[in-house]
Amino acid sequence: MPDLSMSPVHASMRASRMRRRLVAAAAAVTLLGVASACDSAADANDTITQGGTLRVVLPALPDHLDPQKIAAAMDSNISRLISRTLTTYKAEPGTASSELVPDLATDLGRPSENNTVWEFKLREGVKWEDGSPVVCSQLKYGVERNFAKVFDSGLPYAELMLADNATPYEGPYSGKELDSVVCEDTQTIKFRLKQPAGDFNYTVALSIFAPTKQGADGSDKDAYDIRPLSSGPYRVEPRPKDATSFTLVRNEHWSSSLDSVRKAHPDKIVFVVDANDPAVTNALIQDQGADRNTIVLQTNVAPNFLQQVINDPKLSQRVAQGPSGSVRYFAINTEMVKSLDCRKALSFAFNKRKYRQAMGGSVIGDLATSMIPPNLAAHAKFDIYRTLSDSDGDEDEALKLLDKAKNEGKPCPDKLKVALPDNDTIARYVKTMVDAYIRIGIKVELNRLPAKPYWGLIADVGHGNHLVYAGWIPDWANGSAVIPPLFDGALVKPTGEQSGSNYSFLNDPEINKAIADAMAEDDLNRQYKLWGEIDNRLSDMAVTIPVLYPKSIRMYGSNVAGAYIHSQFGAPDLASLGLKDPSIPVDVTSSGS
C-alpha cells in the first residue's frame, strides 16, 4: 500500500510473513542503538489510564475513510478504529504484530476446493454505530463496491482475486450481485477465487474487504468518504469538507467483549494536520500543554533535531522506532520518458547519499537498490546503478547515456517536472534531485501537489509529470504484494481514470507475462526467485529509482503511552495508544501549530 512517510496472494505465504516479521523485530532491537520507550505492550499499557483525549499529528488529512477507497498505509491505520474486517493483526509490538487474528469472523476462515473457496462465520452481536447488527449481506455489499469505477482509488485485490461474473461485474449500483461472494445465511460468507490462495485470510484483513451497510453510503459518495458508518470502537464526528482536523469519539454500540484487538483507551482522538515537521518536533521536545498528549503518526523526527533526540536519554525514551518494511522511490512516467537510455541516465545521476543526508543520514534507513525490500524472502541482491559502491551517483555514465539517446534521435527532456506532496520537509529532500540533475544539464521543476488527494492525482496517466515521489509498504510478505500492484499493465487506465498504484504507467507485455507466470508458480521458493528476477528486470528497464528502505522514528509527548511501530503500517499502532493521565486537556492547537 502507498506509504506517504499497501495481484493475488499465493498459497503458503504465512511462513514467509513470519520470517519477515522476525527480521523486522530483530532490527528494531538495535535500531539507533537507543532504547525505545515501548519495547513491549505490557510495559506501555501498564501506565495507560482509560479516558482522555489523544492528539495525533498528520502531514495531511487521510485521502479516504470510506474503506473501499483506502489504499494508503496511514488511512488503513486510522480506518482500523472505525471499520472492522473479517480478520486483522494483533495490536502488539514486535513479532506479535505479524499474527493474524479473527475480527468480525469467529476464526481465521475455512478454505476448501484446493484453497479456491473460503468461508467465514461472523461473530454474533457486533453492531454499527446506529445500533443495527453487522450481517453477511453488508460484507458482500462492501466487497461488491470494489468493482464500481468510483472506487478505483482503492487496492485492486477484490477484482484481481475474486472470480468474476460471466458478464464482467461493474459494482452493485446497477442492482446486480457478484456471484463469487455468497451469503449462506446472515452470519456466513463464502468467497470463490480465480485461483488458489492459501493466505486469503490475510487479504480480507485489508480495509477494502470491510462491510458497508446498504444505503448508508447514499448518493453522496464524497460525504461518506469523510464520515463512514462505524463498526469499530470510534465514530467520526461531523466536520466541514474544508476542515483541517477531524475527531473520533466513542461508538456507544461497540463492545470490548466482542473485539480482542482494539484497546480503545482514549475517549476521544483528535487528528490535526501540521506539515511543519521542525515546528512539530520542537513542540514535542518542549513537551508543554496539548503536546504532552500528542503523537506524530506518519513523519519522522525532523532531520535538524534527529541527533539531539536520539542522543538525549530522556527524549529518546519518547520515540517509537523500528523498520518500516517499505521502500521510498521515484516512479518514472514511462509514457513521458520513453527512452530507456534517458531513464537509465536519470537513475545513474541520482545522488542517493545526499538525499539520505537531507533526511538525517544513515540512521534514517538503508540505501535502496530494488523495489522488493530486503526483509522479504523474495528480495534479490542486485545493484545495476552501483548505488552501494558510489552512492553519489555516476555523472559520467549519465552523460554518456544522454549523448547516446541524442545521437539516436531520442533526446531526453532538458526540463523535468517532478511531482511531490506539498510538504516543506519532503521538498527539502527532493531538492537534492534538482542539484544532481542540473549537473548533467537537466533542469527540474518541483510540482507540489495537494497532499490529501496526492495518491489519486499521481495515479492518473494524464497528470503531466515526468517523475513522482512515492513509497510502498507491502500488503503481505511476498513479491506478489509489490510487483503486481506497482507494475501490472492491466492496472493502467486512460486519462481521467486511476491506474491503481502503477505510477510508472508501465504496460510491458513481457513483464505482464512474467507476473502471470510468477503468480501461477506453486513452489513458494521458486516463486520468491521469480519475483526477484522480475525486480531485477524492472531495475534494468529503469522504470523507478528506488532510494531508501526507511526506518520509522516517531516522537510523542510525555503523557502518551502504548507507542510502538506496528509492522503492518510502519507507524505507531493507533489501536494501542492511550494516555497516562487522562485529565490533561487537549484542544486542536498546540505550541507548534
PDB file of all heavy atoms in Angstrom, residues 50-61:
ATOM      1  N   GLN A  50      -7.643   4.662  31.328  1.00  0.00           N
ATOM      2  CA  GLN A  50      -8.741   4.814  30.365  1.00  0.00           C
ATOM      3  C   GLN A  50      -9.282   6.239  30.365  1.00  0.00           C
ATOM      4  O   GLN A  50      -9.469   6.847  31.430  1.00  0.00           O
ATOM      5  CB  GLN A  50      -9.866   3.828  30.714  1.00  0.00           C
ATOM      6  CG  GLN A  50     -10.812   3.511  29.572  1.00  0.00           C
ATOM      7  CD  GLN A  50     -10.193   2.572  28.543  1.00  0.00           C
ATOM      8  OE1 GLN A  50      -9.079   2.098  28.718  1.00  0.00           O
ATOM      9  NE2 GLN A  50     -10.922   2.296  27.481  1.00  0.00           N
ATOM     10  N   GLY A  51      -9.527   6.773  29.144  1.00  0.00           N
ATOM     11  CA  GLY A  51     -10.151   8.084  29.031  1.00  0.00           C
ATOM     12  C   GLY A  51      -9.212   9.131  28.472  1.00  0.00           C
ATOM     13  O   GLY A  51      -8.071   8.869  28.090  1.00  0.00           O
ATOM     14  N   GLY A  52      -9.714  10.361  28.405  1.00  0.00           N
ATOM     15  CA  GLY A  52      -8.925  11.486  27.933  1.00  0.00           C
ATOM     16  C   GLY A  52      -8.950  11.649  26.424  1.00  0.00           C
ATOM     17  O   GLY A  52      -9.635  10.917  25.707  1.00  0.00           O
ATOM     18  N   THR A  53      -8.193  12.652  25.947  1.00  0.00           N
ATOM     19  CA  THR A  53      -8.142  12.988  24.525  1.00  0.00           C
ATOM     20  C   THR A  53      -6.722  12.855  24.009  1.00  0.00           C
ATOM     21  O   THR A  53      -5.813  13.534  24.488  1.00  0.00           O
ATOM     22  CB  THR A  53      -8.654  14.417  24.278  1.00  0.00           C
ATOM     23  OG1 THR A  53     -10.015  14.522  24.718  1.00  0.00           O
ATOM     24  CG2 THR A  53      -8.583  14.767  22.797  1.00  0.00           C
ATOM     25  N   LEU A  54      -6.545  11.995  23.037  1.00  0.00           N
ATOM     26  CA  LEU A  54      -5.260  11.823  22.360  1.00  0.00           C
ATOM     27  C   LEU A  54      -5.228  12.729  21.143  1.00  0.00           C
ATOM     28  O   LEU A  54      -6.215  12.845  20.408  1.00  0.00           O
ATOM     29  CB  LEU A  54      -5.089  10.363  21.931  1.00  0.00           C
ATOM     30  CG  LEU A  54      -3.849  10.021  21.099  1.00  0.00           C
ATOM     31  CD1 LEU A  54      -2.599  10.092  21.969  1.00  0.00           C
ATOM     32  CD2 LEU A  54      -3.993   8.630  20.477  1.00  0.00           C
ATOM     33  N   ARG A  55      -4.088  13.366  20.916  1.00  0.00           N
ATOM     34  CA  ARG A  55      -3.917  14.249  19.763  1.00  0.00           C
ATOM     35  C   ARG A  55      -2.911  13.615  18.806  1.00  0.00           C
ATOM     36  O   ARG A  55      -1.795  13.259  19.208  1.00  0.00           O
ATOM     37  CB  ARG A  55      -3.442  15.634  20.215  1.00  0.00           C
ATOM     38  CG  ARG A  55      -3.283  16.666  19.111  1.00  0.00           C
ATOM     39  CD  ARG A  55      -2.928  18.023  19.746  1.00  0.00           C
ATOM     40  NE  ARG A  55      -2.699  19.055  18.745  1.00  0.00           N
ATOM     41  CZ  ARG A  55      -1.517  19.300  18.180  1.00  0.00           C
ATOM     42  NH1 ARG A  55      -0.461  18.579  18.524  1.00  0.00           N
ATOM     43  NH2 ARG A  55      -1.388  20.269  17.286  1.00  0.00           N
ATOM     44  N   VAL A  56      -3.294  13.463  17.538  1.00  0.00           N
ATOM     45  CA  VAL A  56      -2.453  12.804  16.541  1.00  0.00           C
ATOM     46  C   VAL A  56      -2.162  13.790  15.413  1.00  0.00           C
ATOM     47  O   VAL A  56      -3.091  14.331  14.799  1.00  0.00           O
ATOM     48  CB  VAL A  56      -3.138  11.546  15.968  1.00  0.00           C
ATOM     49  CG1 VAL A  56      -2.251  10.866  14.933  1.00  0.00           C
ATOM     50  CG2 VAL A  56      -3.498  10.573  17.089  1.00  0.00           C
ATOM     51  N   VAL A  57      -0.880  14.016  15.133  1.00  0.00           N
ATOM     52  CA  VAL A  57      -0.476  14.941  14.072  1.00  0.00           C
ATOM     53  C   VAL A  57      -0.250  14.157  12.783  1.00  0.00           C
ATOM     54  O   VAL A  57       0.474  13.155  12.762  1.00  0.00           O
ATOM     55  CB  VAL A  57       0.797  15.710  14.460  1.00  0.00           C
ATOM     56  CG1 VAL A  57       1.284  16.570  13.290  1.00  0.00           C
ATOM     57  CG2 VAL A  57       0.534  16.592  15.673  1.00  0.00           C
ATOM     58  N   LEU A  58      -0.855  14.647  11.694  1.00  0.00           N
ATOM     59  CA  LEU A  58      -0.727  14.041  10.368  1.00  0.00           C
ATOM     60  C   LEU A  58      -0.088  15.046   9.414  1.00  0.00           C
ATOM     61  O   LEU A  58      -0.255  16.253   9.584  1.00  0.00           O
ATOM     62  CB  LEU A  58      -2.105  13.656   9.812  1.00  0.00           C
ATOM     63  CG  LEU A  58      -3.026  12.810  10.685  1.00  0.00           C
ATOM     64  CD1 LEU A  58      -4.373  12.641   9.980  1.00  0.00           C
ATOM     65  CD2 LEU A  58      -2.396  11.463  10.976  1.00  0.00           C
ATOM     66  N   PRO A  59       0.615  14.571   8.368  1.00  0.00           N
ATOM     67  CA  PRO A  59       1.141  15.502   7.365  1.00  0.00           C
ATOM     68  C   PRO A  59       0.047  16.060   6.462  1.00  0.00           C
ATOM     69  O   PRO A  59       0.203  17.108   5.851  1.00  0.00           O
ATOM     70  CB  PRO A  59       2.119  14.639   6.568  1.00  0.00           C
ATOM     71  CG  PRO A  59       1.602  13.246   6.723  1.00  0.00           C
ATOM     72  CD  PRO A  59       1.005  13.177   8.090  1.00  0.00           C
ATOM     73  N   ALA A  60      -1.067  15.324   6.361  1.00  0.00           N
ATOM     74  CA  ALA A  60      -2.230  15.745   5.572  1.00  0.00           C
ATOM     75  C   ALA A  60      -3.401  14.912   6.054  1.00  0.00           C
ATOM     76  O   ALA A  60      -3.231  13.867   6.696  1.00  0.00           O
ATOM     77  CB  ALA A  60      -1.996  15.505   4.081  1.00  0.00           C
ATOM     78  N   LEU A  61      -4.609  15.370   5.778  1.00  0.00           N
ATOM     79  CA  LEU A  61      -5.775  14.570   6.095  1.00  0.00           C
ATOM     80  C   LEU A  61      -5.719  13.261   5.311  1.00  0.00           C
ATOM     81  O   LEU A  61      -5.130  13.206   4.223  1.00  0.00           O
ATOM     82  CB  LEU A  61      -7.059  15.328   5.746  1.00  0.00           C
ATOM     83  CG  LEU A  61      -7.416  16.519   6.636  1.00  0.00           C
ATOM     84  CD1 LEU A  61      -8.619  17.249   6.068  1.00  0.00           C
ATOM     85  CD2 LEU A  61      -7.689  16.081   8.069  1.00  0.00           C
TER      86      LEU A  61
END
